[in-house]
Amino acid sequence: MMSSRPSSIDYGRRRAACVAPEAVTVYHWGGGGITDTFIFDADDAGLALFDRYLCESDKSPLYMLVDVVEEEYRHETIPHLYGADRRAVLERKLAWFFRGTPYSHVLPEGREAEGRRDDKVLLSAITNPELVQPWTRLCVQQKVPVAGIYSLAIVSTALLDRINVKSPNVLMVSMQTHSGLRQSYFRDRVIKISRLAKMPRLGTVPFAGRIQVIGTPA
């Protein structure tokens, strides 16, 4: 299924796709707000419509935000290195923890306070690349540049400044129609852990009881 609000579409505006297990939603924005929305179901029919959308639109870059359960996080320490040595250590860590996926990310978290003062890092990855690759394949086929593939949980860190959060410890809870209820814990504006829970259809049951307290890793 593909749906959109009736409007005069300006394909030259910026756009982003939110990839969820059930559907991909493409947003066009400009002038300070969203101008058009398109929804593509995560099935063969939805992929065909997404292919048509890419073909009929211009070739402006597409940002991809991924919001799926299959995202893992690991807090690790590595020696305080630079350049090629640091990259080699991080590549080995990512290959060890997240084999079989090209969608991984390293987020610096400062240094240990004592001892060798090793670097603290958050390693994260989308562990099921098949949730993303059918959509990126069509972008490649239609010669539409993918500006980047981002974790929605990690990108949400930017919201802390926008909403003027002062507390060092923050639990952010958000509800997305096609993915579910996401709970993300931040300490000192650094994401520590995030979980996504699939929810029943809106209005069928109370949601409050489904919010679980998540751990607070060091």
Side-chain angles (χ1 to χ4, degrees):
M1 173 184 177
M2 179 178 77
S3 62
S4 68
R5 299 198 317 263
S7 63
S8 175
I9 299 174
D10 177 4
Y11 285 113
R13 298 189 179 189
R14 299 171 73 186
R15 56 184 177 171
C18 185
V19 180
E22 296 182 357
V24 166
T25 306
V26 176
Y27 300 95
H28 292 200
W29 77 92
I34 294 173
T35 58
D36 294 283
T37 305
F38 302 85
I39 302 172
F40 306 90
D41 288 343
D43 54 22
D44 290 342
L47 284 165
L49 287 170
F50 183 69
D51 186 45
R52 176 182 170 187
Y53 158 81
L54 295 174
C55 179
E56 294 180 354
S57 65
D58 70 5
K59 305 305 179 186
S60 59
L62 181 67
Y63 295 83
M64 283 196 167
L65 301 175
V66 182
D67 190 29
V68 296
V69 172
E70 294 89 342
E71 183 172 6
E72 292 186 8
Y73 307 85
R74 293 194 65 96
H75 295 270
E76 294 291 322
T77 59
I78 63 170
H80 185 63
L81 302 170
Y82 297 92
D85 291 335
R86 178 181 174 85
R87 287 194 298 273
V89 169
L90 291 172
E91 287 171 1
R92 285 197 297 271
K93 288 274 190 181
L94 291 170
W96 177 259
F97 291 122
F98 307 123
R99 296 174 183 172
T101 178
Y103 307 123
S104 58
H105 180 70
V106 179
L107 190 67
E109 295 189 306
R111 300 179 65 179
E112 295 280 350
E114 300 176 352
R116 299 186 310 175
R117 299 202 63 212
D118 288 343
D119 289 338
K120 297 186 293 183
V121 295
L122 172 66
L123 309 178
S124 66
I126 305 300
T127 56
N128 183 2
E130 276 303 313
L131 295 172
V132 180
Q133 287 174 337
W135 309 96
T136 57
R137 263 188 225 111
L138 291 177
C139 290
V140 172
Q141 291 172 14
Q142 294 295 344
K143 296 182 172 55
V144 172
V146 176
I149 300 173
Y150 305 90
S151 160
L152 184 63
I154 293 176
V155 168
S156 65
T157 306
L159 290 175
L160 299 179
D161 288 330
R162 295 292 297 271
I163 60 180
N164 198 29
V165 170
K166 301 297 186 184
S167 173
N169 297 293
V170 178
L171 177 63
M172 182 184 294
V173 180
S174 63
M175 179 70 181
Q176 286 71 240
T177 302
H178 295 292
S179 52
L181 184 78
R182 180 166 289 282
Q183 302 171 74
S184 301
Y185 170 68
F186 303 85
R187 180 183 295 164
D188 296 324
R189 281 175 159 67
V190 175
I191 190 167
K192 294 297 181 179
I193 192 170
S194 185
R195 291 178 181 169
L196 181 66
K198 186 172 176 58
M199 303 296 288
R201 184 168 57 85
L202 184 65
T204 57
V205 297
F207 284 173
R210 293 177 177 266
I211 299 177
Q212 300 178 351
V213 176
I214 61 178
T216 56

